[in-house]
Amino acid sequence: MTTVQEWDRPVGDANGVFAGGTVPVPIVLVDTDEGITGVGLGPHVEIDAVFAAIEGEDPRGVTALYDRMLRQTFKAGHAGVVFGTIGALDTALWDIKAQAAGEPLWRLLGGRDRRVPAYASGLDIGLTDDDLVAVYQVYAERGVRAAKIKGGLDIERDRHRLTLVREVLTEAGHGSRPGLMLDVNEAWTRKQAVRHVREIERALDLTWIEEPVRRWDAEGLALVGRGIRASVATGENLTGLEQFRPLLAAGAVDIVQTAAVWGVSHFLRVSALAHAHDLPVSPIGNTPVGLLHAATSVPNHITSELQDLHPPLGMSLDLHIEDGAFILGDAPGLGVTIDENAINAFTRGPDDTTAGTPNVRPEQAGRRLLSVADHDHPGQPHRLTPHGHTGSPRTRPGDEVTHTVRR
């Protein structure tokens, strides 16, 4: 099935904006013959083919089953949303295993401390200055002292918005220096990245720059890292250890990231690989609950992304935000409860996923000479078209996609 995250405001990045703030959240539910249901958050593309690798198996053998799912997709490949499907099923299996053991997943995985440090991430490129300040004041009230804003289209605007967020967090922290990060979602060329970040660093201490160039450009990421003071963070869109190895070998990444939808087993393996290179790891995602549990068990976790303070529609989580951290609960498994009736009763579909939204790379990405302010729609990101005018994202109502997987 697919539920939604209702932000009640525009959310997006340099590639586009969901103007209505309604973002799809796919869910996979896996049943066992013992009556336990595991919850996985991620795509369900090619799920019948992938599920064949684990159907009828004992879910407690989750690590071996993860490898069976990878082998199941050997010829066609397991990248992209297929990898997300594997990750969703993997997370559901971990949930089942921990429920069967009667323990929260963080405890089953060997975690000692249920507290997972967080940074605020508002997907905020479509916000006005006043709205930006208001959003980060809410994060600051929860004790969060580090924040990542979206940018990459205008140096002056990025510097101004980072300064606004710094002031909010500094005031809330009684003068202590906050952590500031900038995420540009692969919007730049190598030279643009160095020039842009250096200009920002004239006035601000930037903790990391996220995805400054294309995700696979190991040489380019390393070049950017050598040309700036900030750390380079990337990895959320990499699927499989084979995609991380060239970046690590080139010294191209300082903060190793993984996306929540890629699953628990993937995160654990990437964390071990990063630890072997003395690098920290940081989970990414709107609802990274599986990786929060896993983060308690690895030695090199640094911080996890906190997006919306409210869970997706029809979902409750056994965790809360306190003193700048996720505090995990004691419910067996992931601590995720799904209200299928609430999800099925929702009639308004998620925002359009075509051009003008974060899911589609703009034609001019990486080839913008100048940025152009959108004077007609100041709440939307700056976007340069070939004729110098700005475009706005399109939205339309749509039918909810529901697809429940029960085995």
Side-chain angles (χ1 to χ4, degrees), residues 8 15 33 59 86 95 176 247 269 308 310 334 338 370 384:
D8 297 322
N15 299 296
D33 55 6
I86 293 172
D95 187 20
S176 62
L247 273 64
R269 292 180 180 187
D308 201 342
H310 305 285
L334 290 174
I338 302 296
L370 299 171
L384 181 67

Side-chain angles (χ1 to χ4, degrees), residues 148 179-184 188 193-194 197-198 200-201 204-213 220-235 251-257 278-282 302-303:
K148 180 178 76 182
L180 295 176
M181 294 84 91
L182 178 65
D183 185 2
V184 302
W188 295 332
V194 172
V197 175
R198 278 184 174 176
I200 289 175
E201 288 181 331
L204 295 165
D205 180 21
L206 198 62
T207 303
W208 80 55
I209 180 69
E210 188 165 320
E211 292 192 321
V213 296
L221 288 164
L223 183 150
V224 172
R226 290 192 296 268
I228 63 176
R229 298 197 307 269
S231 294
V232 172
T234 192
V253 55
D254 303 301
I255 310 293
V256 180
Q257 298 174 313
D278 295 319
L279 294 173
V281 291
S282 181
I302 183 170
T303 186

Side-chain angles (χ1 to χ4, degrees), residues 368-384:
R368 297 182 180 92
L369 179 62
L370 299 171
S371 57
V372 178
D374 188 344
H375 299 291
D376 296 328
H377 304 283
Q380 303 301 329
H382 306 234
R383 188 170 308 286
L384 181 67

Side-chain angles (χ1 to χ4, degrees), residues 109-244:
L109 289 171
R112 178 175 175 270
D113 188 353
R114 69 182 71 224
R115 182 180 183 275
V116 182
Y119 69 89
S121 177
L123 311 187
D124 46 51
I125 201 167
L127 299 182
T128 64
D129 288 353
D130 289 343
D131 288 339
L132 181 75
V133 168
V135 162
Y136 282 94
Q137 283 176 337
V138 175
Y139 290 120
E141 290 169 1
R142 301 293 186 96
V144 180
R145 297 293 179 264
K148 180 178 76 182
I149 76 164
K150 296 288 189 179
L153 298 177
D154 185 294
I155 293 176
E156 296 298 333
R157 186 168 187 253
D158 288 349
R159 183 165 48 196
H160 173 66
R161 297 173 80 247
L162 282 163
T163 301
L164 291 176
V165 172
R166 182 186 63 178
E167 291 172 353
V168 169
L169 298 182
T170 299
E171 181 178 357
H174 305 290
S176 62
R177 177 186 293 183
L180 295 176
M181 294 84 91
L182 178 65
D183 185 2
V184 302
N185 296 96
E186 306 180 52
W188 295 332
T189 64
R190 301 173 182 184
K191 288 287 189 178
Q192 285 174 332
V194 172
R195 180 169 59 89
H196 198 129
V197 175
R198 278 184 174 176
E199 184 66 25
I200 289 175
E201 288 181 331
R202 292 175 183 270
L204 295 165
D205 180 21
L206 198 62
T207 303
W208 80 55
I209 180 69
E210 188 165 320
E211 292 192 321
V213 296
R214 298 314 300 270
R215 66 194 71 166
W216 51 75
D217 186 3
E219 182 182 1
L221 288 164
L223 183 150
V224 172
R226 290 192 296 268
I228 63 176
R229 298 197 307 269
S231 294
V232 172
T234 192
E236 66 174 290
N237 288 306
L238 302 181
T239 55
L241 295 183
E242 71 280 358
Q243 295 187 10
F244 283 86

